[in-house]
Amino acid sequence: MTLTTSARRSSIMPMCIIALLFFIFGFVTWLNGALIPFLQVVCQLSETQALMIASCFYFAYVVMALPMAMILEKVGYQSSMVLGLSIIALGLLGFIPAALLQEFWIFLVAQFVIGSGLTILQTAANPYVVNVGPTKSAAARIAIMGLLNKGAGILAPLLFTAWVLGGFSDINLATVNQMPAEQQQLQIESMAHQLISPYVGMAIALLVLAGGLSRISLPDLALLESPVNDESDALEDSARHQTKRSIWQFPQLVLGAIALFFYVGVEVIAGDTIGLYGASIGVANATTLTSYTMGFMVLGYLLGLLCIPRFVSQANALRISAVSGLVITILLLFSSNEQTMLSQLLWGWSGIAVIPNSVTLIALLGLANAMVWPTLWPLALADLGRFTPKGSAILIMGIAGGALMPIIYGQLAQASNNQQAYWILLPGYLMIGFYAFYGHKMRIWS
């Protein structure tokens, strides 16, 4: 559907708000990369238990996607955004009793509430960005949003380290366990209490934003809910979907949701386990390592923004991402934990701290992952017509990969070692590759 000039002008304010929401998505989501090694110390957790912090967060997407889609259909975009921001703020406030009591289950409940708030925001925001303009440039629009999202992902672990860790930057699970019992308890309590002020501040900021958003009159976004590629195709689109009565009759969507499941799994593993991995091999300031992964994701988004669709189609960009992920993962499995040649070559000249080759390769997965989300969404939502809102909810449910795959990684790490556990990424990139080369073209189940 081609938007009129008036509609384009009226979409500027909503796009600015969506851009702000994507920044919030990134900041809240990628706090997990710093939070996981921190709570491993505070709550005395194993690798698998620590990764449940991310899993519980992403599990909310599975449980809440369809209920939130129903809310979106009933109350509309604007009220859903206000509700989502308020729910996230409630989850952030849940960190207060969790920190005071150092109870892991309360942290998990708070994470689930935060994930629930993000679910309704994501369900509204992603299809909006896909359908607000020409289909062929949807990935470029999502890349702009991704720059904000992953830019926030760079800031989140750095600010967490500054706000929360303070004088605890050299503290890890091993050093705490070597302390006498009384000193250990004092250390843990002191670290836990450092969480309270930053999380209260973030909650207040989101509530203020929600209040402001509730007072702004946004244009009706209904015309974006059932897009077709061109106005002249409207009748053809209607006829094409008369024979389809279920969302499950669209192979490009179902396979896209499966590919998205694996993508979010590999993305979360690359972003959220790099800190644990770095801490396990003695890298200093391990809570900041997520910023390296996010930095490469930002670079990937910039490349996508420049190249799609000018030089590379959305499908080809997805293919390049899948192949790159496979190659980097294979190199990671056999890389050194002592040598720093890769980071010296890539950024050692800039003064940024160098890191072991294995950790650098985990960070480079951010570059491979960057354009999967922006390219997969428009390919999966193509030709859905009136099924687009439900299709968006199905894709959001694919975010469950971020709940399950890190747990599998944790189990493998305990059974073998942290480095070899990264083989779990290989089937993920293979599925993304299948979708990129074949799955997105399917329109009927054969």
Side-chain angles (χ1 to χ4, degrees), residues 25 29 55-67 112 114-120 122-123 373 393 396-400:
F25 298 163
T29 299
S55 293
C56 198
F57 179 88
Y58 289 103
F59 184 67
Y61 284 92
V62 185
V63 176
M64 303 305 294
L66 290 177
F112 184 88
I114 293 171
S116 298
L118 282 172
T119 300
I120 192 167
Q122 294 259 31
T123 304
W373 182 280
I396 289 295
M397 291 177 72
I399 293 175

Side-chain angles (χ1 to χ4, degrees), residues 69-255:
M70 293 171 62
I71 292 173
L72 178 63
E73 289 179 349
K74 284 192 174 184
V75 306
Y77 283 89
Q78 185 170 350
S79 296
S80 295
M81 292 174 190
V82 172
L83 176 62
L85 290 169
S86 302
I87 293 172
I88 295 171
L90 178 64
L92 293 171
L93 291 174
F95 275 70
I96 299 174
L100 290 173
L101 300 173
Q102 291 110 56
E103 286 286 351
F104 184 48
W105 70 269
I106 304 179
F107 282 113
L108 294 182
V109 171
Q111 285 285 85
F112 184 88
V113 173
I114 293 171
S116 298
L118 282 172
T119 300
I120 192 167
L121 292 179
Q122 294 259 31
T123 304
N126 285 287
Y128 178 87
V129 177
V130 168
N131 297 314
V132 74
T135 302
K136 66 180 182 180
S137 60
R141 290 192 298 279
I142 299 179
I144 295 172
M145 299 300 165
L147 285 171
L148 292 167
N149 184 281
K150 298 314 184 278
I154 294 174
L155 289 175
L158 296 176
L159 291 177
F160 181 93
T161 300
W163 291 342
V164 178
L165 286 180
F168 305 125
S169 58
D170 295 328
I171 300 296
N172 55 44
L173 188 62
T175 58
V176 168
N177 287 340
Q178 291 172 3
M179 296 177 181
E182 186 175 341
Q183 183 185 354
Q184 182 183 105
Q185 186 57 38
L186 289 173
Q187 182 74 69
I188 289 173
E189 288 181 3
S190 179
M191 292 177 70
H193 291 172
Q194 285 289 100
L195 280 172
I196 295 174
S197 294
Y199 275 78
V200 169
M202 288 189 290
I204 291 172
L206 290 185
L207 288 172
V208 169
L209 179 60
L213 181 57
S214 68
R215 287 171 166 76
I216 295 173
S217 179
L218 292 182
D220 181 14
L221 302 185
L223 102 145
L224 299 173
E225 292 180 358
S226 301
V228 289
N229 290 337
D230 191 271
E231 289 176 357
S232 62
D233 293 335
L235 292 176
E236 180 184 346
D237 177 79
S238 176
R240 181 167 58 245
H241 291 94
Q242 282 180 353
T243 59
K244 295 196 174 182
R245 301 177 182 275
S246 168
I247 196 69
W248 307 109
Q249 291 178 284
F250 295 88
Q252 75 272 28
L253 172 72
V254 177
L255 294 173

